[in-house]
Amino acid sequence: MIKKFLITAGITAIAGLSAQKTHTVEKGDNPYNIAKRYGMTVDDLVKLNPNSKDGKVSIGEVLLVNKLASNTGSAQPKANSSSAKVGKIILKPKQTIYGITKQYQISETELRALNPELDSHMKIGDEVTLPLASIQKFGGDQQVVAANKPVETFTPTETVKTVSQPEPTKTVTAVADENSYTVQAKDNYYKLSRKFNLNQKELFALNPGLEEKGLQVGDIIQVKGKGSVEETKADPIATTVSQTTSTPTYSTTSVADDYVTYTVQDGDTVFGILNKFGITLDDLLSLNPNLSQGLKSGMVLKIKKLDSAYVKKSGDALNVVIMLPFGFDSNDSKYRTLSLDFLAGAKLAIERNTKSGKNLDIKVIDAGNEKSFKNSLTQINKDNTDLIIGPFFKSSVLEVLDYVKTSKIPVVAPFANSDDLLGYQNLIIIETNDFIYADRIVKEVKDAFSDQKIYIVADADQTYAKYLETNLKKNLKNANVILVKSASDIQPDQNMMTGKPAPVIAILANKSDDAGDAFANRMIALSKEVDGLKAFSMYYSPIFEKKVDELSQSNLVYLMDRKIDTEGSFEKEILEAYKKKYCKAPSKYAVIGFDVVNDMLSRENKKGEIFKQMNKVQTQLATKFEFEKTKSGAYVNKGYRVVRLIPN
């Protein structure tokens, strides 16, 4: 069963040494969580109980602990002994409770403690009280009201202790600052990655020892830092880890200077960079004079000046066209339900952006079908349209791009994704290409490979299965790769020395749910026959979440592009708003409609300069948006999640 966790910030654990009481070790106890429960350090516990070192505690063993400590582990409010100065900000358009907690790095509990009537004071121009230090550090250009005098604030605490000593003592306090958070019950890596925009490898890098120890209630962990590291192995416990990744190539990270930039990776050479981007050495040196001192990993190079982008023609309102294949005029209802669902989600996103202060003029056009599409183009005002979302089909997208090529109006393709679209610099492609998933699976298999036989379950056309086969053989020495049509064809290998079954690597390259069911059931059966089985899937299948415990025994790793965290505050807000508006939960395409439109509108400024905001990584209701500008011009979403099921 997947454990669910909850994160709160600012938790204070005060530890002290005084007279002792005892604790009887129960199932699941270890020195670390026992020490945390009683407000002690592990060192303190070891000093009192030398046999507890290195995890050597046994069920029923009686340990000495702090006498005055409470072992209930319940959180209680405590006045912060160091009263902090506070200030007030004036709310700007688009700011929400969730956004404020993210920007100013405080918990919603702290925010509401400072603002008891917060919900009724979230209109543009209202004042919100925040810690002055947070305003000064994270406020940017936020309008600030003069700071108030220090106030007594209340912070959620974990196992609060009062320590008595025969003489004045100093209490040892572990406090979560703006770069850290305190783990509580119901915490897991998935929620950490969602809440703090971290992946597992970054979390481990910021917290040495966390990988071995795992997440412990009351533990203060670092959640903010610089740089990136190679991914590490997952915890040896049954859990589900969600990680958002993308292959680093190049992106417009230096948008203020309007340059395409590239961050130098380990192993890069100047010659390789010139070939990669099709530029000359003279051009590279002229844009990067510091390159004369040598090429270094992590160096950000300017590659070329961005081509001139769309410029808003007139008016204060952003004029947005949404093209959906309703098929009313062509009497083609094939995609009508999909279109209506997409529009339902889009309307919710439009309302949210309007309420936050955006001035929008939205026009919905019936794009018909591919045959009748040309008629819909005449409804687009090329002289005063700032953004086009849709159409759905590749051929129609190409026609729109040709129609607006002189005005360079940004066009968003929600579903179309193919190589012949990549050459358009005003195109934003939402769907992550399956070859990106295949590349990630190759990397995952390479990391797990140790001369096992590799099975790939292919779909009918075998495009991705053959791509996997070619690249696995290219990256692995003497790889024995076998393409099969069905998961039932996957068989354990045989150890030539012992004659016993030997583990294999199995890959699913078929996105149908039936194939996913068959693959999952075959992996569960094989994991009972042989230890060390490694399973991978390019795609998500519902059965993966239904049979987590069984599939974890096969070390299943799968990729997915959309997932709603129903415990997230933002997600709860959107789901509740949708249900209130439509009296039902959103369908798959309603979720896509909300995510695409909300993400695009949030990147637009008053001048319609959406491309200046494409470097921002954003997660909406279910979709991760992480855009990369390709070498040929288009922006492509490369956001996805890696989910690992780790065995007991």
Coordinates of all heavy atoms in Angstrom, one line a residue, residues 185-223:
A185 N 4.0 13.0 9.8 CA 3.3 11.8 9.4 C 2.6 12.1 8.0 O 2.1 13.2 7.8 CB 2.3 11.4 10.4
K186 N 2.5 11.1 7.2 CA 1.9 11.2 5.8 C 2.8 11.9 4.8 O 2.3 12.3 3.8 CB 0.6 11.8 5.9 CG -0.5 11.0 6.6 CD -1.9 11.7 6.5 CE -2.9 10.8 7.2 NZ -4.2 11.4 7.1
D187 N 4.1 12.0 5.0 CA 5.0 12.6 4.1 C 5.6 11.5 3.1 O 5.8 10.4 3.6 CB 6.2 13.3 4.8 CG 7.1 14.0 3.9 OD1 6.7 14.1 2.7 OD2 8.1 14.5 4.4
N188 N 5.8 11.8 1.9 CA 6.5 10.9 1.0 C 7.2 11.7 -0.1 O 7.0 12.9 -0.2 CB 5.6 9.8 0.3 CG 4.5 10.5 -0.6 OD1 4.6 11.6 -1.0 ND2 3.5 9.7 -0.9
Y189 N 8.0 11.0 -0.9 CA 8.8 11.7 -1.9 C 8.0 12.4 -3.0 O 8.4 13.4 -3.5 CB 9.8 10.8 -2.6 CG 10.9 10.2 -1.6 CD1 10.9 8.9 -1.3 CD2 11.8 11.1 -1.0 CE1 11.8 8.3 -0.5 CE2 12.7 10.6 -0.1 CZ 12.7 9.2 0.2 OH 13.7 8.7 1.0
Y190 N 6.9 11.8 -3.3 CA 6.0 12.3 -4.4 C 5.5 13.7 -3.9 O 5.6 14.7 -4.7 CB 4.8 11.4 -4.6 CG 3.8 12.0 -5.6 CD1 4.1 12.0 -6.9 CD2 2.6 12.5 -5.1 CE1 3.2 12.6 -7.8 CE2 1.7 13.0 -6.0 CZ 2.0 13.0 -7.4 OH 1.1 13.5 -8.3
K191 N 5.0 13.8 -2.7 CA 4.5 15.1 -2.2 C 5.6 16.1 -2.1 O 5.5 17.3 -2.3 CB 3.8 14.9 -0.9 CG 2.4 14.2 -1.1 CD 1.6 14.3 0.1 CE 0.3 13.7 -0.1 NZ -0.6 13.7 1.0
L192 N 6.8 15.7 -1.6 CA 8.0 16.6 -1.5 C 8.3 17.2 -2.9 O 8.6 18.4 -3.1 CB 9.2 15.9 -0.9 CG 9.1 15.6 0.6 CD1 10.3 14.7 0.9 CD2 9.1 16.8 1.4
S193 N 8.3 16.3 -3.9 CA 8.7 16.8 -5.3 C 7.6 17.7 -5.8 O 8.0 18.7 -6.5 CB 8.8 15.6 -6.2 OG 7.6 14.9 -6.4
R194 N 6.4 17.5 -5.5 CA 5.3 18.4 -6.0 C 5.4 19.7 -5.2 O 5.3 20.8 -5.8 CB 3.9 17.8 -5.7 CG 3.6 16.6 -6.6 CD 3.1 17.0 -7.9 NE 1.9 17.8 -7.8 CZ 1.1 17.9 -8.8 NH1 1.3 17.4 -10.0 NH2 0.0 18.6 -8.7
K195 N 5.5 19.7 -3.9 CA 5.4 20.9 -3.1 C 6.6 21.8 -3.3 O 6.5 23.0 -3.3 CB 5.3 20.5 -1.6 CG 4.9 21.7 -0.7 CD 4.6 21.2 0.7 CE 4.2 22.3 1.6 NZ 2.8 22.8 1.3
F196 N 7.8 21.2 -3.4 CA 9.0 22.0 -3.4 C 9.8 22.0 -4.7 O 10.9 22.4 -4.8 CB 10.0 21.6 -2.3 CG 9.4 21.6 -0.9 CD1 9.1 20.4 -0.2 CD2 8.9 22.8 -0.4 CE1 8.5 20.4 1.0 CE2 8.3 22.8 0.9 CZ 8.1 21.6 1.6
N197 N 9.1 21.4 -5.8 CA 9.7 21.3 -7.1 C 11.1 20.7 -7.1 O 12.1 21.2 -7.7 CB 9.8 22.8 -7.7 CG 10.0 22.7 -9.2 OD1 9.7 21.7 -9.8 ND2 10.6 23.7 -9.8
L198 N 11.2 19.6 -6.4 CA 12.5 18.8 -6.3 C 12.2 17.4 -6.8 O 11.1 16.9 -6.7 CB 12.9 18.7 -4.8 CG 13.6 19.9 -4.1 CD1 13.7 19.6 -2.6 CD2 14.9 20.2 -4.7
N199 N 13.3 16.8 -7.3 CA 13.2 15.4 -7.6 C 14.0 14.6 -6.6 O 14.7 15.2 -5.7 CB 13.6 15.0 -9.0 CG 15.1 15.5 -9.3 OD1 15.9 15.3 -8.5 ND2 15.3 16.0 -10.5
Q200 N 13.9 13.3 -6.6 CA 14.5 12.5 -5.5 C 16.0 12.7 -5.5 O 16.6 12.8 -4.4 CB 14.2 11.0 -5.8 CG 14.6 10.1 -4.6 CD 14.4 8.7 -4.9 OE1 13.8 8.4 -6.0 NE2 14.8 7.8 -4.0
K201 N 16.7 12.7 -6.6 CA 18.1 12.9 -6.6 C 18.6 14.2 -6.0 O 19.6 14.2 -5.3 CB 18.7 12.7 -8.0 CG 18.3 13.8 -9.0 CD 18.9 13.5 -10.4 CE 18.5 14.6 -11.3 NZ 19.0 14.4 -12.7
E202 N 17.8 15.3 -6.2 CA 18.1 16.5 -5.7 C 17.9 16.5 -4.2 O 18.7 17.1 -3.4 CB 17.3 17.6 -6.3 CG 17.6 17.9 -7.8 CD 16.6 18.7 -8.5 OE1 15.5 18.8 -8.1 OE2 17.0 19.4 -9.5
L203 N 16.9 15.9 -3.7 CA 16.6 15.8 -2.3 C 17.7 15.0 -1.6 O 18.1 15.4 -0.5 CB 15.2 15.1 -2.1 CG 14.6 15.1 -0.7 CD1 14.3 16.6 -0.3 CD2 13.4 14.3 -0.6
F204 N 18.2 13.9 -2.1 CA 19.2 13.2 -1.5 C 20.5 14.0 -1.5 O 21.3 13.9 -0.5 CB 19.5 11.9 -2.3 CG 18.4 10.8 -2.1 CD1 18.2 9.8 -3.0 CD2 17.5 10.9 -1.0 CE1 17.3 8.8 -2.8 CE2 16.6 9.9 -0.8 CZ 16.4 8.9 -1.7
A205 N 20.8 14.7 -2.6 CA 22.0 15.5 -2.6 C 22.0 16.6 -1.5 O 23.0 16.9 -1.0 CB 22.1 16.2 -4.0
L206 N 20.8 17.2 -1.3 CA 20.7 18.2 -0.3 C 20.7 17.7 1.1 O 21.0 18.4 2.1 CB 19.4 19.0 -0.5 CG 19.3 19.9 -1.7 CD1 17.9 20.4 -1.9 CD2 20.3 21.1 -1.5
N207 N 20.5 16.4 1.3 CA 20.4 15.7 2.6 C 21.2 14.4 2.6 O 20.6 13.3 2.5 CB 18.9 15.4 2.9 CG 18.0 16.7 3.0 OD1 18.0 17.4 4.0 ND2 17.4 17.0 1.8
P208 N 22.5 14.5 2.8 CA 23.3 13.3 2.9 C 22.8 12.4 4.0 O 22.6 12.8 5.1 CB 24.7 13.9 3.2 CG 24.7 15.3 2.6 CD 23.3 15.8 2.9
G209 N 22.7 11.1 3.6 CA 22.2 10.1 4.6 C 20.8 9.9 4.5 O 20.3 8.9 5.1
L210 N 20.0 10.7 3.9 CA 18.6 10.6 3.8 C 18.2 9.3 3.0 O 17.2 8.6 3.4 CB 17.9 11.8 3.1 CG 16.4 11.7 2.9 CD1 15.7 11.6 4.3 CD2 15.9 12.9 2.2
E211 N 19.0 9.0 2.0 CA 18.7 7.8 1.2 C 18.7 6.5 2.0 O 17.8 5.7 1.9 CB 19.7 7.7 0.1 CG 19.5 6.4 -0.8 CD 20.6 6.3 -1.9 OE1 21.5 7.1 -1.9 OE2 20.4 5.4 -2.7
E212 N 19.7 6.4 2.9 CA 19.8 5.2 3.8 C 18.7 5.2 4.9 O 18.1 4.2 5.2 CB 21.2 5.1 4.4 CG 22.3 4.9 3.3 CD 22.7 6.1 2.6 OE1 22.3 7.2 3.1 OE2 23.3 6.0 1.5
K213 N 18.5 6.4 5.4 CA 17.7 6.5 6.6 C 16.2 6.6 6.3 O 15.3 6.1 7.0 CB 18.1 7.8 7.4 CG 17.3 8.1 8.7 CD 17.9 9.2 9.4 CE 17.9 10.5 8.6 NZ 18.5 11.7 9.3
G214 N 15.9 7.2 5.1 CA 14.5 7.4 4.7 C 13.9 8.6 5.4 O 14.5 9.2 6.3
L215 N 12.7 8.9 5.1 CA 11.9 10.1 5.7 C 11.4 9.7 7.1 O 10.7 8.7 7.2 CB 10.8 10.5 4.8 CG 11.2 11.0 3.4 CD1 9.9 11.2 2.5 CD2 11.9 12.3 3.5
Q216 N 11.8 10.5 8.1 CA 11.4 10.2 9.4 C 10.6 11.3 10.0 O 10.9 12.5 9.8 CB 12.6 10.0 10.3 CG 13.6 8.9 9.8 CD 13.0 7.5 10.1 OE1 12.1 7.3 10.9 NE2 13.5 6.5 9.3
V217 N 9.5 11.0 10.7 CA 8.7 12.1 11.3 C 9.5 13.0 12.2 O 10.2 12.5 13.0 CB 7.5 11.4 12.0 CG1 6.7 12.5 12.7 CG2 6.6 10.7 11.1
G218 N 9.4 14.3 12.0 CA 10.1 15.2 12.8 C 11.5 15.6 12.3 O 12.1 16.5 12.9
D219 N 11.9 14.9 11.3 CA 13.2 15.2 10.7 C 13.2 16.5 9.9 O 12.3 16.7 9.1 CB 13.7 14.1 9.9 CG 15.2 14.2 9.5 OD1 15.9 15.0 10.1 OD2 15.6 13.4 8.6
I220 N 14.1 17.4 10.2 CA 14.2 18.7 9.4 C 15.1 18.4 8.2 O 16.3 18.0 8.3 CB 14.7 19.8 10.2 CG1 13.7 20.2 11.3 CG2 15.0 21.1 9.4 CD1 14.1 21.3 12.2
I221 N 14.6 18.6 7.0 CA 15.3 18.3 5.8 C 15.5 19.6 4.9 O 14.7 20.5 5.0 CB 14.7 17.2 4.9 CG1 13.3 17.7 4.5 CG2 14.7 15.9 5.6 CD1 12.6 16.7 3.5
Q222 N 16.6 19.6 4.2 CA 16.8 20.8 3.3 C 16.0 20.6 2.0 O 16.0 19.5 1.4 CB 18.3 20.9 2.9 CG 19.2 21.2 4.1 CD 18.8 22.6 4.7 OE1 18.8 23.6 4.0 NE2 18.6 22.6 6.0
V223 N 15.3 21.6 1.5 CA 14.5 21.5 0.3 C 14.9 22.6 -0.7 O 14.2 22.7 -1.7 CB 13.0 21.6 0.7 CG1 12.6 20.4 1.5 CG2 12.7 22.9 1.4

